[in-house]
Amino acid sequence: MTCKTLITGFPRIGEHRELKKALESYWTGKSSIEDLQKTASELKKKHWLYQKNRGINFISCNDFSFYDNMLDTAVMLNAIPERFKKIDDNIERYFAMARGNDLAVAMEMTKWFNTNYHYIVPELSENLQFNLDSSKIISEYNEAKTIGIDPKINIIGPLTFLELSKDVHGKDCYSYFNRVLPVYEQLIKELSALNSNVYLQIEEPIFVKDPTVEQLELLKKAYTALSAISDKVKIIVSTYFEHSNEATSILANTSVWGIALDFVSGRKNIEALKLLNGKKLIAGVVDGRNIWINDIQRTINLLNSISNDVPREDIIISTSCSLLHVPYSIESEKESDIKKWLSFAGEKINEVVLIAKVFQGEPLSVMENDHIDNNKFRIQEKKTSSIINNSAVQDLLRTIVKLERDEVYEDRILVQKERLDLPILPTTTIGSFPQTKEIRKLRRDLKKGIISKEQYENGIKRYIDDCVAFQEEIGLDVLVHGEPERNDMVEYFGEMLNGFHFTSNGWVQSYGSRCVKPPVLYGDISRPEPMTIKWISYAQSKTNKTMKGMLTGPVTLLNWSFVRDDIPRSEVSRQIAVVISNEIADLQAAGIKIIQVDEPAFKEAYPIRKENISEYERWAVENFKLAVSTAKEETQIHTHMCYSEFNDIIHTIEAMDADVITIETARSGNELLKIFKEIGYKNEIGPGIYDIHSPRVPSVEELTDQISCLIEVLPIKQLWINPDCGLKTRRWEEVKPALKNMVKAVKNIRESGDN
Ligand code: GLN
Ligand code: ZN
């Protein structure tokens, strides 16, 4: 008997980002829709055969998408927002929903759970007519069939769809349950009319998020109904990123065929297995989100313990989630010290197949036996390797005694105020200025060796000179150097730290055609030399005003990388905190009076399950405080976070104890500030007063009103005035007038005397 293997989804962007290129070429009118469709079907075919040839039994169709699977689901349900209905052409309408067009703004986009993948947020409203459009599903299904693959079909389930949608009038989206479920029922009826049995994998990851009683009731209702429709449609319900024990106990009592669980990020899933009631278990044992080789022996042990509760023949081996979150294959990676420990999508597929064979005691080929021996060796080697382990770093970490700043905020702020001598409502920006074509080219040319280091540095100096001159000219109070030397706030630091690796082709889809290449944080972190002093000092030398130094914080550097899994994340973050603290000491010694430690990823790094939150908050705060522990009383520490929902985390923000926090509020008015007032938050706050995500230039009047609103909520002496995020994605034509208006608005308020 062969044990079966299943893959939830494959990286659709392609080995060489073919889909990205085809999409962008189509969008800019350089190629036709036929060209795009041709690339898409070639990619699908390649990816299906790739899985088939390596021995995967359950291969997905409908995991492909021209943009996003949530958007596909909205289309499947005919949930087309009113403003797009006038567009007749299906493809044109689809891309307009994703990206907007001249007449209609795009639908909103947000992060998929705690990954860096973004989905399109479906917009629901009373007047929608939900009905089934199964064309994409059926055509992908048939496409696979024509090349001899009998695919399973993947869709996003009704409850995850509703939970992650928004109603245009703010209604509870579950109120659409009774209108949406029949569409899924219709789909199953349609699939049951196909010639053979069909496997339908319905993804319901929402059930890893502390489900409510009401959600669980709806789950029961939905899957009791869906699983009763046809014996020919075998339903697999899958969750990932955490355990879903509440849902498992319900699904076990429906007629679904299988349940797919994540045993990598959801170890606790093991607790509900006794309930499975003869269902197939799709055991996600190979990490679908991280890029390290699997410890095969450990995985076999895990599977053996799973088989205490589930008969072996009912266990199907899989990855913990879709492989969408990892790059394509290590085959196109350049040689490096760590390549032998990496496993991308292609390699993970091999791991799944091999693990299945070993688990079932099937005879192995010589090559497979070699692979297993090699795996043992690699895993062992990784534990002790001096590439990964640096005893100096570990010793240092053990001996650290200074964990936080010495003085309390009330004392620090007095000293800082005196030293900085700033007016009320001090104005500043978040750090970056527009990343122009020239500045990108400059960095690229240096990398390629087209220009000398000196030429590069002269270019950077010119950019900084211009930034400083502009900021002085318009009268900002605290200046920044503009971050021209940084392409990315994680990559820049990663490249200068030991312990980070940069892949050559490790692209992962972030949204639509956008891909990111996350750094690989593989080893103990150390800082060979200062990272920011040169440019910040240069910028400071060009002005008598205060120049703010810019660093990326220990949670963000962690969260936007692929992180080693041999030590806890808290410890990795602690190592980063130490190097940041050294950098702060150096900046301070160089005369920098204000240092900002950016933590835009602080909130998205929160654990999915409530039970894990306090532990995260504890170490994240500890590490932030450790990172800034070297700051003297007179050095002002700022932090920046890019979102506008602080209610749940306000006490954690308070515990971080930054002297100043700048936040994104522009889009939510001053609503969010109320929570700061409510809890009696003492430290200073810079609520972003305009939205930098839009090219629109806010007027002086508008900004003056906005500031007046802020003053109504918080004491004026507690407030800073700034845009709501960095300006790197904007153009100078927008940035210049917007900042001018911002400074004018502040001047109006200062002069009006009602403060
Ligand atoms: N200092 C960074 C910038 O201005 C902060 C970016 C961010 O918040 N994501 O670009
Ligand atoms: Zn931001």
Side-chain angles (χ1 to χ4, degrees):
M1 192 218 47
T2 44
C3 175
K4 294 272 193 325
T5 50
L6 176 148
I7 296 295
T8 294
F10 196 77
R12 56 190 171 231
I13 208 78
E15 185 170 12
H16 305 291
R17 288 179 292 156
E18 292 90 337
L19 182 58
K20 172 195 175 68
K21 291 165 196 165
L23 282 168
E24 288 171 2
S25 152
Y26 170 68
W27 291 336
T28 50
K30 290 192 194 113
S31 58
S32 66
I33 184 64
E34 289 75 25
D35 295 328
L36 175 60
Q37 271 155 346
K38 183 162 171 277
T39 306
S41 43
E42 283 166 4
L43 282 174
K44 279 181 265 183
K45 192 169 157 192
K46 178 176 165 187
H47 300 166
W48 284 326
L49 291 174
Y50 190 105
Q51 296 173 73
K52 184 179 181 199
N53 295 340
R54 283 163 178 76
I56 297 294
N57 307 116
F58 291 100
I59 299 172
S60 302
C61 71
N62 204 41
D63 58 336
F64 182 83
S65 178
F66 273 134
Y67 206 93
D68 165 53
N69 295 121
M70 273 296 267
L71 180 58
D72 297 343
T73 312
V75 172
M76 175 188 100
L77 296 165
N78 196 35
I80 314 286
E82 208 51 49
R83 65 186 181 283
F84 301 106
K85 283 194 178 144
K86 337 182 236 312
I87 309 175
D88 287 331
D89 181 74
N90 286 345
I91 296 271
E92 206 185 306
R93 187 189 322 113
Y94 180 85
F95 285 130
M97 287 162 77
R99 312 174 62 235
N101 67 12
D102 294 345
L103 302 171
V105 289
M107 292 164 74
E108 210 179 282
M109 188 169 72
T110 193
K111 288 201 181 199
W112 182 245
F113 296 83
N114 53 5
T115 72
N116 205 6
Y117 177 78
H118 301 67
Y119 68 94
I120 301 283
V121 181
E123 285 171 34
L124 308 185
S125 65
E126 256 326 303
N127 53 17
L128 284 183
Q129 293 284 325
F130 293 100
N131 49 52
L132 179 65
D133 175 353
S134 60
S135 53
K136 173 174 184 281
I137 295 174
I138 301 295
S139 88
E140 276 196 34
Y141 179 80
N142 288 332
E143 235 178 311
K145 283 275 196 189
T146 56
I147 59 162
I149 288 182
D150 193 7
K152 79 172 152 75
I153 297 167
N154 270 61
I155 56 171
I156 291 173
L159 295 155
T160 298
F161 176 81
L162 290 173
E163 176 68 38
L164 299 182
S165 293
K166 63 168 195 191
D167 175 79
V168 288
H169 301 295
K171 251 178 50 180
D172 180 358
C173 287
Y174 288 118
S175 62
Y176 298 102
F177 177 80
N178 288 327
R179 291 163 62 186
V180 164
L181 189 64
V183 185
Y184 281 84
E185 290 174 334
Q186 183 59 34
L187 173 69
I188 293 178
K189 281 182 201 141
E190 220 173 87
L191 297 180
S192 69
L194 296 169
N195 292 334
S196 47
N197 282 346
V198 182
Y199 292 88
L200 178 65
Q201 180 171 353
I202 309 185
E203 299 181 32
E204 288 285 17
I206 200 67
F207 284 93
V208 302
K209 262 187 155 177
D210 301 304
T212 60
V213 175
E214 293 75 35
Q215 280 176 308
L216 291 167
E217 265 164 24
L218 293 178
L219 179 79
K220 186 171 172 187
K221 224 170 160 180
Y223 287 91
T224 304
L226 296 176
S227 64
I229 294 174
S230 164
D231 284 346
K232 280 180 68 193
V233 180
K234 317 273 185 217
I235 296 177
I236 300 166
V237 181
S238 72
T239 60
Y240 34 80
F241 303 152
E242 248 299 353
H243 78 80
S244 56
N245 287 341
E246 304 89 339
T248 301
S249 59
I250 287 182
L251 292 167
N253 293 308
T254 66
S255 304
V256 302
W257 182 80
I259 298 179
L261 301 174
D262 177 343
F263 290 94
V264 178
S265 304
R267 275 280 161 148
K268 279 200 179 165
N269 270 321
I270 210 155
E271 291 167 11
L273 295 181
K274 281 203 177 58
L275 306 169
L276 273 191
N277 239 343
K279 310 265 174 257
K280 303 287 175 195
L281 171 68
I282 292 81
V285 291
V286 170
D287 195 341
R289 285 183 66 174
N290 214 336
I291 41 74
W292 305 107
I293 51 169
N294 188 277
D295 180 343
I296 293 183
Q297 191 50 53
R298 227 176 116 217
T299 302
I300 295 296
N301 295 344
L302 169 67
L303 285 165
N304 285 337
S305 60
I306 290 175
S307 70
N308 291 333
D309 294 323
V310 184
R312 261 168 205 262
E313 59 275 17
D314 285 346
I315 300 176
I316 295 169
I317 309 300
S318 184
T319 51
S320 62
C321 59
S322 167
L323 293 170
L324 178 71
H325 308 290
V326 292
Y328 192 91
S329 158
I330 65 163
E331 268 161 42
S332 35
E333 277 310 300
K334 60 179 184 297
E335 283 314 312
S336 74
D337 288 347
I338 66 158
K339 187 172 171 184
K340 58 191 174 194
W341 294 311
L342 297 179
S343 169
F344 294 174
E347 293 70 37
K348 285 174 189 292
I349 282 173
N350 292 336
E351 288 174 347
V352 164
V353 173
L354 185 58
I355 287 165
K357 284 191 173 175
V358 177
F359 178 57
Q360 293 297 355
E362 278 181 37
L364 301 179
S365 68
V366 177
M367 247 174 68
E368 286 166 334
N369 271 316
D370 278 356
H371 188 106
I372 291 178
D373 289 343
N374 191 33
N375 180 265
K376 270 191 201 129
F377 177 77
R378 293 279 180 241
I379 294 290
Q380 203 44 44
E381 185 193 28
K382 192 161 161 259
K383 283 187 185 138
T384 51
S385 164
S386 61
I387 296 168
I388 291 181
N389 302 286
N390 177 341
S391 53
V393 172
Q394 292 165 7
D395 291 346
L396 181 73
L397 235 66
R398 268 193 296 274
T399 54
I400 285 182
V401 284
K402 186 157 168 38
L403 300 175
E404 56 185 6
R405 303 175 77 178
D406 292 329
E407 306 78 10
V408 295
Y409 172 75
E410 288 81 350
D411 294 339
R412 296 193 309 254
I413 196 71
L414 294 179
V415 181
Q416 292 164 14
K417 285 221 158 150
E418 171 140 9
R419 182 185 194 211
L420 294 169
D421 192 23
L422 295 166
I424 54 155
L425 298 174
T427 52
T428 191
T429 61
I430 305 304
S432 57
F433 271 118
Q435 293 259 327
T436 56
K437 264 204 209 99
E438 297 74 46
I439 210 74
R440 286 177 208 276
K441 183 169 182 321
L442 193 71
R443 285 195 308 259
R444 236 185 2 252
D445 286 353
L446 176 75
K447 253 193 180 149
K448 287 191 194 148
I450 297 173
I451 55 169
S452 69
K453 190 156 180 238
E454 197 189 337
Q455 283 171 307
Y456 165 77
E457 293 191 342
N458 286 337
I460 297 287
K461 280 182 188 161
R462 269 198 303 278
Y463 184 97
I464 294 178
D465 293 347
D466 292 346
C467 281
V468 172
F470 165 68
Q471 295 173 84
E472 286 199 325
E473 179 194 314
I474 64 166
L476 279 160
D477 300 308
V478 171
L479 312 195
V480 298
H481 77 298
E483 304 182 18
E485 78 286 21
R486 307 180 189 181
N487 41 352
D488 174 275
M489 63 189 295
V490 171
E491 189 172 344
Y492 179 73
F493 290 94
E495 277 179 347
M496 275 183 295
L497 290 167
N498 295 327
F500 276 90
H501 170 78
F502 289 84
T503 63
S504 32
N505 200 36
W507 296 101
V508 179
Q509 188 176 17
S510 172
Y511 59 87
S513 69
R514 187 176 152 78
C515 298
V516 292
K517 200 149 60 94
V520 179
L521 204 170
Y522 67 91
D524 289 336
I525 307 282
S526 60
R527 184 189 71 140
E529 54 186 14
M531 304 179 283
T532 60
I533 314 300
K534 179 169 171 168
W535 295 124
I536 305 292
S537 304
Y538 174 78
Q540 180 66 84
S541 76
K542 295 283 162 176
T543 179
N544 292 325
K545 291 208 163 168
T546 301
M547 181 60 59
K548 181 160 69 161
M550 286 296 151
L551 303 173
T552 304
V555 167
T556 301
L557 283 170
L558 184 81
N559 214 50
W560 290 352
S561 305
F562 286 122
V563 181
R564 59 191 289 192
D565 58 1
D566 57 333
I567 60 174
R569 289 170 79 81
S570 53
E571 213 163 300
V572 183
S573 162
R574 196 172 157 82
Q575 294 186 358
I576 304 172
V578 171
V579 296
I580 301 290
S581 74
N582 295 334
E583 187 72 14
I584 289 182
D586 287 339
L587 279 166
Q588 189 170 243
I592 301 303
K593 298 177 193 159
I594 300 185
I595 300 164
Q596 178 171 312
V597 181
D598 287 323
E599 282 291 23
F602 194 84
K603 196 169 177 196
E604 68 187 52
Y606 263 67
I608 294 180
R609 286 254 172 196
K610 283 205 188 83
E611 64 206 33
N612 302 321
I613 286 181
S614 59
E615 168 66 3
Y616 166 75
E617 288 178 332
R618 183 191 57 71
W619 68 254
V621 169
E622 255 174 43
N623 290 338
F624 183 84
K625 291 176 95 174
L626 175 62
V628 303
S629 62
T630 44
K632 293 188 192 144
E633 185 172 31
E634 65 270 25
T635 301
Q636 187 164 74
I637 295 294
H638 290 213
T639 189
H640 166 70
M641 297 187 183
C642 317
Y643 28 81
S644 51
E645 249 306 321
F646 285 88
N647 289 25
D648 297 348
I649 63 168
I650 190 72
H651 290 292
T652 310
I653 300 294
E654 194 179 27
M656 289 168 78
D657 195 25
D659 298 312
V660 181
I661 181 170
T662 56
I663 50 181
E664 177 182 315
T665 29
R667 281 180 287 186
S668 55
N670 61 1
E671 258 318 289
L672 120 102
L673 273 191
K674 293 191 177 145
I675 185 71
F676 285 89
K677 184 189 170 107
E678 231 171 85
I679 67 143
Y681 187 85
K682 293 187 299 262
N683 305 20
E684 301 196 344
I685 310 173
I689 65 159
Y690 77 88
D691 177 14
I692 64 93
H693 305 88
S694 144
R696 205 175 69 85
V697 174
S699 68
V700 179
E701 294 69 37
E702 191 183 332
L703 292 169
T704 312
D705 284 352
Q706 177 73 15
I707 299 170
S708 308
C709 276
L710 300 178
I711 299 173
E712 277 168 28
V713 183
L714 286 173
I716 199 163
K717 64 174 193 338
Q718 201 176 351
L719 289 168
W720 284 64
I721 302 299
N722 43 264
D724 73 352
C725 195
L727 299 164
K728 65 173 166 243
T729 56
R730 294 268 63 88
R731 297 178 311 147
W732 276 113
E733 298 88 281
E734 299 144 12
V735 165
K736 285 191 172 172
L739 288 179
K740 266 187 203 157
N741 291 352
M742 183 181 94
V743 175
K744 272 192 208 136
V746 170
K747 217 168 150 231
N748 286 347
I749 302 264
R750 282 181 191 152
E751 283 166 6
S752 73
D754 61 349
N755 45 64

